Amino acid sequence: MILPTLRDTRLVTIRRGGTLTDTDHQLLARWAADCAEHVLALFEQDRPDDSRLREAVAATRAWAAGGLPMMQARAVGGHAMGAARDLSGPARFAAYAAGQAACVGHVAEHDLGAAAYAIKAAVAAAPHGEGESVRLDENAWQRARLPEAVRDLVLEDQRRRNDICWSVFDVT
């Protein structure tokens, strides 16, 4: 589980007693979708006829645009994670990334799940000896796409949860 024991109220929606606005919640979802989509090909190499991950990324974006109820997006995310069940390596991690992205509407903190699993997918696909440089490159790619409005929040959350996210966000 990559969710913290103690929740940061800045990542809890106003409706649930936190301070996260709908606009920022939607930005987090779009960013998570970008992270997951970036590694979709790693899944599709193994399962070219399985559309569950693309559907999860589309559901994430549809939820963020107000066109899909959260519970439907979350269900699609569950199907994407189900695609990981009999896989290993990059394809498995890519499936989890897409599933996590689709669950951001339910719990905003799943944004880091999508990002972390995307990094794990990229590293698992890296040629021997290049995993660390690929991890840093994927981090840089993700951070370059962070919306300015939530950038500091996400970067602080990455520092806070790095240990429970397999230290993939460590860029020092």
Side-chain angles (χ1 to χ4, degrees):
M1 163 100 36
I2 58 175
L3 292 175
T5 304
L6 184 59
R7 304 276 308 274
D8 183 341
T9 57
R10 295 173 305 159
L11 288 161
V12 176
T13 62
I14 292 169
R15 287 180 303 287
R16 293 186 177 169
T19 61
L20 185 67
T21 66
D22 288 344
T23 300
D24 287 350
H25 194 181
Q26 292 158 352
L27 289 173
L28 293 172
R30 287 184 188 102
W31 177 70
D34 289 346
C35 293
E37 186 174 52
H38 196 234
V39 296
L40 275 181
L42 299 174
F43 174 82
E44 292 173 338
Q45 290 170 359
D46 281 5
R47 300 288 166 85
D49 297 327
D50 191 335
S51 63
R52 289 179 284 183
L53 273 62
R54 286 210 175 267
E55 291 167 4
V57 169
T60 307
R61 290 196 172 108
W63 174 82
L68 188 69
M70 176 274 295
M71 291 299 285
Q72 287 181 7
R74 188 177 95 172
V76 174
H79 295 303
M81 287 188 269
R85 197 165 290 130
D86 64 338
L87 296 171
S88 62
R92 181 180 183 95
F93 298 135
Y96 285 137
Q100 290 283 312
C103 292
V104 171
H106 179 248
V107 174
E109 289 160 310
H110 284 296
D111 69 325
L112 283 198
Y117 277 115
I119 293 169
K120 285 180 65 85
V123 169
H128 181 71
E130 294 181 30
E132 182 62 9
S133 65
V134 167
R135 184 184 69 77
L136 293 171
D137 288 348
E138 190 67 19
N139 261 299
W141 185 93
Q142 290 179 359
R143 288 177 178 197
R145 280 143 188 86
L146 267 170
E148 192 59 38
V150 294
R151 182 177 183 76
D152 290 342
L153 176 62
V154 171
L155 294 178
E156 185 177 325
D157 195 32
Q158 286 181 344
R159 285 188 293 274
R160 189 170 68 91
R161 291 198 282 154
N162 188 47
D163 289 347
I164 60 173
C165 290
W166 314 285
S167 299
V168 299
F169 300 120
D170 206 2
V171 293
T172 57

